[in-house]
Amino acid sequence: ADAMAMPTAKVPPKNAYESRTVHDPKPIPGTPYAIPAQAIDPHTMDAWLNSTAHAEISGFVVSLAESVTGVPASQGPTELPPVLAGVNSLLDALEKQIALIPPMKQAMRYGNTAFRTWHAWMDGYLKGGALEKHGVLPDGFTAAAAEVAPYLLESFGNPWRIDYGTGHELAFMCFLYCLGRLGLVGVPRSTAQEAASAPASAPAAGPGASAGSPSAPLEPSASATAHTERRVPGLAPL
């Protein structure tokens, strides 16, 4: 019922969305997590491009593309793992809310300002425990919500400019990547990642040896790095 309630949250002022100053993530006391912050600007771009986070996220995106290459949609999974089923359930709830917020009657060149109302509702819905309610974050991982939710919130576009671009698409990839780093979903490794992590020279496989080896699991937490280090939000040190 709460998912379908009409939003009552006030839309934050413009400067709340336009503040792009680089900040350090804010640690959440008593947990290994931190609230993400804008951590990349022209001065830190080179560090970002050479960071572990950049390499891991890039490899994650490539691995997802490789995993479905040549696979017809008809051969997709018939049943999703619980956490991914929870993601689908949450996205369905967000979509249903759209029908309760009629478009504003306005002259417009781009998006409708009703999007701000929907976005403000989504912000409150996520802060109210939506990730836990839908099973995206199961028991034992609820403390991660404050770090994971901002990536999902950023996935739908900027509520002041009412625009959408590749940075918002990347935010959704980061949301999924965080679930993998928490160990809640499987994270495949791209062929480039596997090649980079392979030994320089490996002995020939003996008779009966497997032609391939399981992908190495990622670390279980998206925020295991020390909070005293400057980090790309929630992922890795710069």
Side-chain angles (χ1 to χ4, degrees):
D2 57 339
M4 299 299 107
M6 282 298 292
T8 57
K10 294 183 179 180
V11 177
K14 178 179 179 180
N15 58 4
Y17 295 119
E18 295 302 309
S19 178
R20 307 300 289 175
T21 304
V22 172
H23 298 287
D24 288 317
K26 182 180 179 181
I28 303 172
T31 78
Y33 308 110
I35 298 174
Q38 178 73 15
I40 304 171
D41 66 3
H43 302 289
T44 57
M45 181 61 68
D46 287 342
W48 155 244
L49 293 176
N50 290 285
S51 69
T52 300
H54 183 274
E56 288 289 345
I57 294 172
S58 298
F60 175 64
V61 174
V62 172
S63 71
L64 293 181
E66 291 180 344
S67 69
V68 297
T69 299
V71 180
S74 59
Q75 294 182 13
T78 56
E79 184 175 351
L80 290 174
V83 169
L84 293 183
V87 172
N88 268 1
S89 173
L90 175 55
L91 293 177
D92 285 343
L94 298 180
E95 183 176 17
K96 289 177 182 178
Q97 186 67 20
I98 296 174
L100 300 180
I101 304 175
M104 299 292 291
K105 295 181 179 180
Q106 61 179 73
M108 58 184 178
R109 181 180 179 186
Y110 296 112
N112 192 281
T113 54
F115 172 70
R116 294 174 183 161
T117 303
W118 178 85
H119 196 278
W121 169 85
M122 177 177 60
D123 187 14
Y125 188 48
L126 292 176
K127 290 177 179 176
L131 292 174
E132 300 91 318
K133 172 186 174 181
H134 290 274
V136 179
L137 293 177
D139 292 343
F141 292 92
T142 56
E147 179 159 344
V148 175
Y151 293 109
L152 182 61
L153 186 67
E154 287 289 324
S155 300
F156 291 90
N158 183 282
W160 182 259
R161 296 192 304 268
I162 313 182
D163 65 353
Y164 186 84
T166 54
H168 302 111
E169 294 175 326
L170 177 60
F172 189 72
M173 289 292 101
C174 290
F175 165 68
L176 296 177
Y177 176 73
C178 284
L179 298 181
R181 292 284 300 218
L182 288 168
L184 298 176
V185 296
V187 179
R189 304 280 286 180
S190 69
T191 53
Q193 287 176 309
E194 291 289 3
S197 61
S201 59
S210 172
S213 60
S215 298
L218 293 176
E219 297 174 17
S221 171
S223 306
T225 54
H227 293 312
T228 54
E229 296 180 295
R230 183 165 187 78
R231 303 187 307 161
V232 172
L235 297 173
L238 280 173

